[in-house]
Amino acid sequence: MVEAMEILQQIGQILAFLVLTLMYSVRSLVNFFIPAAYEPVKNVKGDVILITGGGSGLGRLLSIKLSKLGAKIVIWDVNEKGMEETVKMVKSNGGTIHHYKVDITKREEVYKVAEQVKKDAGDVTILINNAGVVSGYHLLDIPDHLIQRTFEVNAISHFWTTKAFLPSMISNKRGHIVTIASMAGHMGCSKLVDYCSSKFAAVGFDESLRVELEALGVTDIKTTCVCPFFIHGTGMFGDVAPKFTPVLTTEQVSESVILGILREDLYVMLPKSMRYSFWVKWILPWQVISMYMRHTVPDACPTPGMK
């Protein structure tokens, strides 16, 4: 009798899963055909937005643009001169901004400065894990400390920043965590073994965190994973010249990131056509995928980054 009840319960769970799968799939299909202009967006006026790597490139543009929307900006970076420039630009537009020199690879430093941010600016409501580095060497040529640095900045630091600000988001029932990952977090590339691996980790961090929050019943905290192709203007891939797919600009990416935040998108993939490429990855033979990647990006880092 007990076994029969368990079997019926399992059948009921499977049927419920199939019904919900159909419902969510239909809703997703309908949303696909809704023009972006008609999609609902949230208002970030009054939000406290913390952006790591805000002293240059994409982080600087996000700071300027989000401040224009009425958000209070907080930037972290190790580049004090760069942060000062960002501060000037934001304030020249009438924005509010706080800046702190922080090495996000140092856990205790992150926690300490996070407490100061709460005192100075209030509870962070949107966290943008943007800071990133690239070494740009073949695996056997990368000094060990650069491999560690790549993972510490591109992936492990996300744990420290999120642990610092997620508790207040949960308490306030309001929050959004944005992970600036990469298309390199979905497909490997020569001379970027450490970089791709760290971005795979960043993508996994976002997805796992989202699942965990949902499993805990935390529905007020949103997460967005941003996966752009190569970007000019970040100081990392300025001289890369891929074939077939054009390099993105920080202007293009910043606009898409902000729209993704406002719409609370789960993923922002740039260019948009890339979001359909992953189906192909698992269908075509590996030799085809490898050949495509090797010819599309013949040299991901003509000029290596870190030393």
Side-chain angles (χ1 to χ4, degrees), residues 174-215:
R174 179 187 180 193
H176 196 154
I177 296 173
V178 182
T179 300
I180 306 296
S182 171
M183 292 305 299
H186 296 277
M187 300 186 78
C189 188
S190 176
K191 292 183 76 174
L192 294 180
V193 174
D194 58 334
Y195 182 82
C196 290
S197 300
S198 69
K199 291 301 185 177
F200 266 79
V203 172
F205 173 83
D206 168 83
E207 186 171 303
S208 300
L209 176 62
R210 185 185 308 135
V211 171
E212 182 166 286
L213 289 172
E214 291 174 354

Side-chain angles (χ1 to χ4, degrees), residues 48 72 74 98 114 116-125 165:
V48 178
K72 183 186 294 184
V74 178
H98 299 265
Q116 190 61 47
V117 168
K118 294 173 186 177
K119 294 176 183 177
D120 296 342
D123 289 331
V124 170
T125 52
F165 298 110

Side-chain angles (χ1 to χ4, degrees), residues 67-68 71 90-97:
S67 71
K68 289 180 179 179
V90 170
K91 288 187 174 180
S92 69
N93 290 313
T96 301
I97 184 170

Side-chain angles (χ1 to χ4, degrees), residues 78-269:
V78 292
N79 180 0
E80 288 187 277
K81 186 177 180 180
M83 282 196 293
E84 289 171 2
E85 288 297 316
T86 301
V87 169
K88 289 179 183 177
M89 293 177 182
V90 170
K91 288 187 174 180
S92 69
N93 290 313
T96 301
I97 184 170
H98 299 265
H99 68 290
Y100 305 83
K101 183 180 180 180
V102 184
D103 184 345
I104 57 175
T105 68
K106 296 179 179 178
R107 181 179 70 251
E108 295 306 325
E109 187 173 326
V110 167
Y111 294 159
K112 180 180 178 180
V113 180
E115 290 302 315
Q116 190 61 47
V117 168
K118 294 173 186 177
K119 294 176 183 177
D120 296 342
D123 289 331
V124 170
T125 52
I126 300 177
L127 169 64
I128 304 179
N129 286 312
N130 165 71
V133 294
V134 65
S135 57
Y137 298 90
H138 292 111
L139 175 61
L140 296 182
D141 296 327
I142 310 173
D144 291 351
H145 74 276
L146 291 189
I147 296 175
Q148 289 181 306
R149 181 71 176 171
T150 297
F151 272 87
E152 287 170 352
V153 174
N154 295 356
I156 297 176
S157 67
H158 297 191
F159 288 84
W160 316 144
T161 56
T162 301
K163 290 189 72 175
F165 298 110
L166 180 58
S168 62
M169 292 182 183
I170 294 175
S171 297
N172 297 330
K173 295 184 177 181
R174 179 187 180 193
H176 196 154
I177 296 173
V178 182
T179 300
I180 306 296
S182 171
M183 292 305 299
H186 296 277
M187 300 186 78
C189 188
S190 176
K191 292 183 76 174
L192 294 180
V193 174
D194 58 334
Y195 182 82
C196 290
S197 300
S198 69
K199 291 301 185 177
F200 266 79
V203 172
F205 173 83
D206 168 83
E207 186 171 303
S208 300
L209 176 62
R210 185 185 308 135
V211 171
E212 182 166 286
L213 289 172
E214 291 174 354
L216 293 172
V218 179
T219 59
D220 304 297
I221 313 302
K222 308 302 179 182
T223 78
T224 297
C225 188
V226 181
C227 297
F229 193 58
F230 293 104
I231 312 172
H232 278 171
T234 62
M236 293 194 292
F237 299 107
D239 49 2
V240 67
K243 300 177 181 178
F244 312 124
T245 304
V247 174
L248 302 166
T249 66
T250 50
E251 179 68 27
Q252 289 174 300
V253 177
S254 63
E255 288 293 330
S256 295
V257 170
I258 292 172
L259 184 59
I261 293 172
L262 298 181
R263 296 192 309 203
E264 297 181 339
D265 291 336
L266 299 183
Y267 292 98
V268 175
M269 295 189 177

Side-chain angles (χ1 to χ4, degrees), residues 29-44:
L29 184 62
V30 171
N31 289 338
F32 178 80
F33 291 102
I34 296 176
Y38 293 95
E39 293 188 31
V41 296
K42 67 181 179 183
N43 187 352
V44 295

